[in-house]
Amino acid sequence: MKKDLALLFRKLTHGVYVIGVVDNNQYNAFTAAWVMHVSFNPLMLALSINPNHSSYRMIQSSKQFSVNVLHRNQLDLARHFGEPSNSDKLANIKWHRGQTGAPILDHALAYFECEMKHEYQAGDHQLVIGHVIDGAILNSELSPLLYSDTEDMDGSHDLYSDTF
Ligand SMILES: Cc1cc2nc3c(=O)[nH]c(=O)nc-3n(C[C@H](O)[C@H](O)[C@H](O)COP(=O)(O)O)c2cc1C
């Protein structure tokens, strides 16, 4: 029987984040939903990234990245940073360099700064584990944007097969 695995997997709850990357004074950022907290001590986050993204090569080289938490009114930013980096996606966006040098969006809900510690292949993605070295809440009034609010913005519906 043909199954709608895209609908099934959308029942996993995710937030929406903009991952900031830096390499040799070059900066970029991309939207990601597959981000999770994985350790208390040390504090660690995991990020699942498609190795074809230009941002992946930058993380591999610098071993630094930021995780910017988007809020409910930032669907436009999720779409903007979900585009491939044909142009400077950070132009016209207010951001600053964090401790790691990775971009922090001034209007994010919160951010984390990470140093990459481990990397594992996970099927067609790479699981990047980062040690959280800094972070802050920038806006405590608004609630986080949910991946389900982005519907099929990432075009992932077509990436699922019909069977397990
Ligand atoms: C809502 C949303 C969630 C996404 N989640 C992820 C993700 O978790 N991991 C990933 O590798 N790409 C994810 N993407 C796709 C990237 O944002 C997209 O491919 C982007 O163009 C990569 O940027 P870059 O080419 O500048 O590195 C997501 C896109 C959107 C719109």
Side-chain angles (χ1 to χ4, degrees), residues 5-6 9-19 30-38 45-51 53 65 67 122-129 146-148 150 154-157 159-160:
L5 296 186
F9 275 83
R10 280 193 177 259
K11 297 297 179 206
L12 290 173
T13 307
H14 298 282
V16 185
Y17 310 94
V18 171
I19 310 302
F30 72 100
T31 305
W34 292 356
V35 174
M36 66 183 288
H37 184 186
V38 293
L45 293 181
L47 158 68
S48 184
I49 177 169
N50 181 332
H53 293 348
F65 63 96
V67 176
D124 54 16
H125 276 52
Q126 292 293 118
L127 197 60
V128 168
I129 313 279
L146 300 179
Y147 182 50
S148 51
T150 68
D154 59 1
S156 61
H157 192 277
L159 302 179
Y160 289 91

Side-chain angles (χ1 to χ4, degrees), residues 106-118:
D106 293 2
H107 298 298
L109 187 87
Y111 70 89
F112 302 85
E113 284 203 78
C114 301
E115 288 177 348
M116 183 178 125
K117 290 295 174 197
H118 311 283

Side-chain angles (χ1 to χ4, degrees), residues 135-161:
I137 296 173
L138 301 177
N139 185 337
S140 49
E141 306 293 312
L142 294 165
S143 49
L145 180 62
L146 300 179
Y147 182 50
S148 51
D149 295 337
T150 68
E151 298 183 339
D152 198 39
M153 183 189 286
D154 59 1
S156 61
H157 192 277
D158 294 340
L159 302 179
Y160 289 91
S161 59

Side-chain angles (χ1 to χ4, degrees), residues 62-121:
S62 71
K63 314 278 188 225
Q64 318 279 4
F65 63 96
S66 63
V67 176
N68 294 276
V69 183
L70 295 185
H71 62 67
R72 271 277 159 83
N73 304 336
Q74 291 180 319
L75 206 55
D76 53 336
L77 283 186
R79 187 175 294 106
H80 174 75
F81 285 107
E83 297 290 322
S85 40
N86 301 325
S87 59
D88 179 3
K89 288 191 270 184
L90 286 160
N92 305 319
I93 304 278
K94 287 205 162 102
W95 66 277
H96 61 276
R97 284 182 289 273
Q99 269 187 43
T100 59
I104 293 169
L105 305 187
D106 293 2
H107 298 298
L109 187 87
Y111 70 89
F112 302 85
E113 284 203 78
C114 301
E115 288 177 348
M116 183 178 125
K117 290 295 174 197
H118 311 283
E119 183 182 356
Y120 306 96
Q121 188 184 348

